[in-house]
Amino acid sequence: MLPSARSPRTAPPGGPASHGADRPLTVALVVPLHGPGGILGPSCELAAQLAAEELNAAGGVAGRPVRLLPVDGAGPPRQVAAEVEALVRLGAVDAVVGWHISAVRRELAPRVAHLVPYIYTAQYEGGERTPGVFLTGETDRRQLGPAMRMLAEATGVRRWFTVGNDYVWPRVTAAAARRYARECGGRTVGEALLPLGTDGFGPVLRQIERAEADAVLMLLVGADAAGFNRAFAARGLPARCQRLSTHMDENILLASGADGTAGLWAAAGYFASLATAQSLDFAGRLAGRFGPDAPVVGSLGESCYEGLRLLGALAGPAGGCDVRAMHAVRQSVGYEGPRGALRLRGSHLDQPVYLARADAFDFAVLAQL
């Protein structure tokens, strides 16, 4: 695993203003290392490490070797943002990349995006337009809406119940889901937003039963999603109710248990079981570098690989990590990675999105949305 830094004192001297080719280009890798999202941290770190090693083998980013400086992105959003901002203002990091919740992004973007490039890799609610922020993740419009339509057509579900954590992404996405449900010929029959770290799902499961929902939209993070899956299965609800998540990977399936994944669907731009030439090649490189017993890298962890690759693709034509130069060249930037041939549209990476059905601890990818 990567060494983890917790304070600006651990950072090397120098900063974004000094661009010597012999000085590493230091990237703050902001990923959750504890809490509900901590289940995803190891796969995020492995994917980012592989990307950094591959970039360095190809000559680095703008001629400079890449160094990763992990920062725990699971703390209170203002605290995380303050820590990263301190690293940036001290000149300890040249860019920020990572998967973390939208509440952290909203605190972090205005603090650092005008100083260094900030590449946010999580799938999210959409709408981020802060200059200097570049986004690799799926958005509700491209991911959730089409997935709900396809699931409704395939299974006939009409009565949706939304269960999410109580912060910005689930709140905004729950509102979008009401509209998508109507467009699918159905409706939302209930919503419940729960604190991060919830470990008791009995009350919300009773609400789902009383509402006679036939589909649950899951907007729960990491271990919370796994706990909900286990409780859902223990109550016998998979026999009467489908589940759809836009935040689900193989690590969460493993934590859910095989019984907890029946009737579970997921939409994402990448799955470890995706059988394209690019994804299979990526899986082979991961296994060759970290071995067969390493944490599985699903869509959420793999997004950090995409974040580092996008940083390199932007820095090349921009001549480095100057935010304004990157912003000026962004429309011409693209690269080929595990998700295929990708290009920026505005500041968002345009990518295919797939619908998959859980099969115990893996996903069967059924269609491109």
Side-chain angles (χ1 to χ4, degrees):
M1 282 299 167
L2 300 168
S4 186
R6 290 294 179 271
S7 110
R9 289 192 297 275
T10 64
S18 64
H19 297 293
D22 58 340
R23 189 180 73 81
L25 189 148
T26 303
V27 178
L29 180 67
V30 185
V31 298
L33 301 178
H34 76 283
I39 191 175
L40 309 169
S43 64
C44 290
E45 290 190 295
L46 288 188
Q49 184 174 333
L50 181 64
E53 290 175 0
E54 291 180 349
L55 288 169
N56 288 340
V61 170
R64 296 168 61 192
V66 176
R67 171 180 179 259
L68 299 178
L69 184 67
V71 176
D72 189 357
R78 288 185 182 179
Q79 177 181 312
V80 175
E83 180 178 357
V84 177
E85 181 185 17
L87 289 168
V88 169
R89 292 192 178 278
L90 283 172
V93 299
D94 303 278
V96 177
V97 174
W99 185 98
H100 38 267
I101 66 173
S102 288
V104 172
R105 185 197 81 248
R106 285 199 169 185
E107 291 287 342
L108 187 52
R111 292 176 181 245
V112 304
H114 59 296
L115 301 172
V116 298
Y118 172 25
I119 300 182
Y120 183 64
T121 74
Q123 56 82 215
Y124 84 116
E125 66 278 1
E128 175 61 70
R129 294 183 177 85
T130 304
V133 178
F134 304 94
L135 305 106
T136 73
E138 309 90 332
T139 61
D140 288 345
R141 184 179 64 84
R142 293 291 303 275
Q143 182 186 22
L144 177 60
M148 289 179 67
R149 284 193 292 274
M150 186 167 286
L151 188 59
E153 291 169 1
T155 68
V157 297
R158 293 291 182 269
R159 297 173 63 82
W160 294 84
F161 194 108
T162 299
V163 181
N165 290 118
D166 192 7
Y167 69 95
V168 57
W169 164 59
R171 291 186 208 124
V172 175
T173 299
R178 293 174 217 141
R179 181 174 73 255
Y180 298 145
R182 290 193 298 271
E183 292 172 357
C184 297
R187 63 190 179 97
T188 299
V189 295
E191 295 176 7
L193 296 178
L194 311 172
L196 284 162
T198 293
D199 59 5
F201 296 97
V204 70
L205 293 174
R206 289 191 290 273
Q207 290 179 52
I208 292 168
E209 289 174 326
R210 287 196 297 268
E212 298 182 344
D214 55 18
V216 172
L217 173 61
M218 291 177 56
L219 306 175
L220 296 161
V221 172
D224 286 10
F228 179 82
N229 283 337
R230 293 192 299 270
F232 191 88
R235 203 169 180 91
L237 285 171
R240 55 182 281 190
C241 200
Q242 304 289 318
R243 280 163 292 163
L244 171 65
S245 175
T246 55
H247 170 96
M248 185 65 56
D249 79 347
E250 292 79 358
N251 293 286
I252 302 174
L253 292 187
L254 287 168
S256 300
D259 292 341
T261 64
L264 174 62
W265 302 72
Y270 175 84
F271 291 94
S273 57
L274 185 63
T276 64
Q278 298 95 330
S279 62
L280 291 170
D281 184 57
F282 175 66
R285 299 199 311 274
L286 276 171
R289 173 64 181 86
F290 300 112
D293 297 326
V296 63
V297 175
S299 63
L300 307 175
E302 188 275 341
S303 73
C304 291
Y305 180 93
E306 302 291 350
L308 269 293
R309 286 294 309 276
L310 180 58
L311 177 66
L314 282 162
C321 284
D322 179 79
V323 173
R324 284 179 291 186
M326 284 186 167
H327 189 78
V329 303
R330 72 192 192 283
Q331 297 288 41
S332 64
V333 167
Y335 67 91
E336 186 169 291
R339 301 186 183 213
L342 310 176
R343 297 197 67 82
L344 279 176
R345 289 184 181 269
S347 295
H348 286 71
L349 205 60
D350 191 25
Q351 62 189 289
V353 179
Y354 304 90
L355 182 68
R357 185 180 62 232
D359 181 10
F361 302 127
D362 208 345
F363 284 106
V365 180
L366 301 180
Q368 181 175 332
L369 299 175

PDB file of all heavy atoms in Angstrom, residues 142-154:
ATOM      1  N   ARG A 142     -26.671  10.759 -17.452  1.00  0.00           N
ATOM      2  CA  ARG A 142     -26.157   9.724 -18.343  1.00  0.00           C
ATOM      3  C   ARG A 142     -26.244   8.322 -17.736  1.00  0.00           C
ATOM      4  O   ARG A 142     -26.173   7.331 -18.457  1.00  0.00           O
ATOM      5  CB  ARG A 142     -24.685  10.035 -18.682  1.00  0.00           C
ATOM      6  CG  ARG A 142     -24.485  11.283 -19.520  1.00  0.00           C
ATOM      7  CD  ARG A 142     -25.010  11.111 -20.931  1.00  0.00           C
ATOM      8  NE  ARG A 142     -24.383   9.972 -21.609  1.00  0.00           N
ATOM      9  CZ  ARG A 142     -23.219  10.019 -22.245  1.00  0.00           C
ATOM     10  NH1 ARG A 142     -22.540  11.155 -22.275  1.00  0.00           N
ATOM     11  NH2 ARG A 142     -22.735   8.954 -22.841  1.00  0.00           N
ATOM     12  N   GLN A 143     -26.362   8.246 -16.413  1.00  0.00           N
ATOM     13  CA  GLN A 143     -26.282   6.965 -15.724  1.00  0.00           C
ATOM     14  C   GLN A 143     -27.625   6.533 -15.148  1.00  0.00           C
ATOM     15  O   GLN A 143     -28.164   5.480 -15.503  1.00  0.00           O
ATOM     16  CB  GLN A 143     -25.240   7.056 -14.613  1.00  0.00           C
ATOM     17  CG  GLN A 143     -25.005   5.790 -13.825  1.00  0.00           C
ATOM     18  CD  GLN A 143     -24.070   6.028 -12.651  1.00  0.00           C
ATOM     19  OE1 GLN A 143     -23.926   7.157 -12.183  1.00  0.00           O
ATOM     20  NE2 GLN A 143     -23.435   4.979 -12.161  1.00  0.00           N
ATOM     21  N   LEU A 144     -28.182   7.342 -14.252  1.00  0.00           N
ATOM     22  CA  LEU A 144     -29.369   6.925 -13.526  1.00  0.00           C
ATOM     23  C   LEU A 144     -30.620   6.913 -14.388  1.00  0.00           C
ATOM     24  O   LEU A 144     -31.387   5.941 -14.384  1.00  0.00           O
ATOM     25  CB  LEU A 144     -29.588   7.825 -12.304  1.00  0.00           C
ATOM     26  CG  LEU A 144     -30.853   7.529 -11.492  1.00  0.00           C
ATOM     27  CD1 LEU A 144     -30.829   6.098 -10.953  1.00  0.00           C
ATOM     28  CD2 LEU A 144     -31.009   8.533 -10.365  1.00  0.00           C
ATOM     29  N   GLY A 145     -30.863   7.986 -15.115  1.00  0.00           N
ATOM     30  CA  GLY A 145     -32.075   8.053 -15.927  1.00  0.00           C
ATOM     31  C   GLY A 145     -32.190   6.873 -16.888  1.00  0.00           C
ATOM     32  O   GLY A 145     -33.212   6.163 -16.893  1.00  0.00           O
ATOM     33  N   PRO A 146     -31.170   6.621 -17.728  1.00  0.00           N
ATOM     34  CA  PRO A 146     -31.258   5.470 -18.634  1.00  0.00           C
ATOM     35  C   PRO A 146     -31.365   4.132 -17.914  1.00  0.00           C
ATOM     36  O   PRO A 146     -32.050   3.219 -18.390  1.00  0.00           O
ATOM     37  CB  PRO A 146     -29.952   5.571 -19.438  1.00  0.00           C
ATOM     38  CG  PRO A 146     -29.582   7.017 -19.386  1.00  0.00           C
ATOM     39  CD  PRO A 146     -30.008   7.480 -18.025  1.00  0.00           C
ATOM     40  N   ALA A 147     -30.699   3.991 -16.772  1.00  0.00           N
ATOM     41  CA  ALA A 147     -30.763   2.723 -16.029  1.00  0.00           C
ATOM     42  C   ALA A 147     -32.168   2.475 -15.493  1.00  0.00           C
ATOM     43  O   ALA A 147     -32.672   1.341 -15.550  1.00  0.00           O
ATOM     44  CB  ALA A 147     -29.757   2.735 -14.885  1.00  0.00           C
ATOM     45  N   MET A 148     -32.813   3.508 -14.959  1.00  0.00           N
ATOM     46  CA  MET A 148     -34.183   3.336 -14.475  1.00  0.00           C
ATOM     47  C   MET A 148     -35.120   2.968 -15.604  1.00  0.00           C
ATOM     48  O   MET A 148     -35.993   2.104 -15.457  1.00  0.00           O
ATOM     49  CB  MET A 148     -34.652   4.617 -13.766  1.00  0.00           C
ATOM     50  CG  MET A 148     -33.971   4.865 -12.426  1.00  0.00           C
ATOM     51  SD  MET A 148     -34.502   6.405 -11.613  1.00  0.00           S
ATOM     52  CE  MET A 148     -36.219   6.032 -11.226  1.00  0.00           C
ATOM     53  N   ARG A 149     -34.944   3.589 -16.770  1.00  0.00           N
ATOM     54  CA  ARG A 149     -35.814   3.267 -17.911  1.00  0.00           C
ATOM     55  C   ARG A 149     -35.627   1.815 -18.353  1.00  0.00           C
ATOM     56  O   ARG A 149     -36.601   1.095 -18.589  1.00  0.00           O
ATOM     57  CB  ARG A 149     -35.518   4.220 -19.079  1.00  0.00           C
ATOM     58  CG  ARG A 149     -36.100   5.611 -18.902  1.00  0.00           C
ATOM     59  CD  ARG A 149     -36.053   6.405 -20.188  1.00  0.00           C
ATOM     60  NE  ARG A 149     -34.676   6.735 -20.576  1.00  0.00           N
ATOM     61  CZ  ARG A 149     -34.020   7.808 -20.129  1.00  0.00           C
ATOM     62  NH1 ARG A 149     -34.604   8.636 -19.275  1.00  0.00           N
ATOM     63  NH2 ARG A 149     -32.802   8.060 -20.539  1.00  0.00           N
ATOM     64  N   MET A 150     -34.363   1.380 -18.441  1.00  0.00           N
ATOM     65  CA  MET A 150     -34.115   0.013 -18.903  1.00  0.00           C
ATOM     66  C   MET A 150     -34.616  -1.004 -17.893  1.00  0.00           C
ATOM     67  O   MET A 150     -35.173  -2.044 -18.265  1.00  0.00           O
ATOM     68  CB  MET A 150     -32.622  -0.182 -19.174  1.00  0.00           C
ATOM     69  CG  MET A 150     -32.300  -1.528 -19.800  1.00  0.00           C
ATOM     70  SD  MET A 150     -30.613  -1.637 -20.458  1.00  0.00           S
ATOM     71  CE  MET A 150     -30.779  -0.638 -21.943  1.00  0.00           C
ATOM     72  N   LEU A 151     -34.441  -0.730 -16.596  1.00  0.00           N
ATOM     73  CA  LEU A 151     -34.909  -1.663 -15.578  1.00  0.00           C
ATOM     74  C   LEU A 151     -36.436  -1.747 -15.591  1.00  0.00           C
ATOM     75  O   LEU A 151     -37.012  -2.830 -15.448  1.00  0.00           O
ATOM     76  CB  LEU A 151     -34.405  -1.240 -14.199  1.00  0.00           C
ATOM     77  CG  LEU A 151     -34.663  -2.228 -13.061  1.00  0.00           C
ATOM     78  CD1 LEU A 151     -34.011  -3.571 -13.351  1.00  0.00           C
ATOM     79  CD2 LEU A 151     -34.156  -1.666 -11.737  1.00  0.00           C
ATOM     80  N   ALA A 152     -37.087  -0.609 -15.773  1.00  0.00           N
ATOM     81  CA  ALA A 152     -38.553  -0.614 -15.833  1.00  0.00           C
ATOM     82  C   ALA A 152     -39.039  -1.427 -17.026  1.00  0.00           C
ATOM     83  O   ALA A 152     -40.007  -2.195 -16.930  1.00  0.00           O
ATOM     84  CB  ALA A 152     -39.078   0.817 -15.906  1.00  0.00           C
ATOM     85  N   GLU A 153     -38.360  -1.289 -18.167  1.00  0.00           N
ATOM     86  CA  GLU A 153     -38.756  -2.037 -19.355  1.00  0.00           C
ATOM     87  C   GLU A 153     -38.506  -3.533 -19.178  1.00  0.00           C
ATOM     88  O   GLU A 153     -39.302  -4.371 -19.623  1.00  0.00           O
ATOM     89  CB  GLU A 153     -37.986  -1.516 -20.570  1.00  0.00           C
ATOM     90  CG  GLU A 153     -38.382  -0.103 -20.992  1.00  0.00           C
ATOM     91  CD  GLU A 153     -37.427   0.485 -22.010  1.00  0.00           C
ATOM     92  OE1 GLU A 153     -36.459  -0.219 -22.403  1.00  0.00           O
ATOM     93  OE2 GLU A 153     -37.623   1.648 -22.405  1.00  0.00           O
ATOM     94  N   ALA A 154     -37.401  -3.879 -18.512  1.00  0.00           N
ATOM     95  CA  ALA A 154     -37.013  -5.285 -18.396  1.00  0.00           C
ATOM     96  C   ALA A 154     -37.819  -6.033 -17.338  1.00  0.00           C
ATOM     97  O   ALA A 154     -38.079  -7.230 -17.484  1.00  0.00           O
ATOM     98  CB  ALA A 154     -35.518  -5.386 -18.078  1.00  0.00           C
TER      99      ALA A 154
END
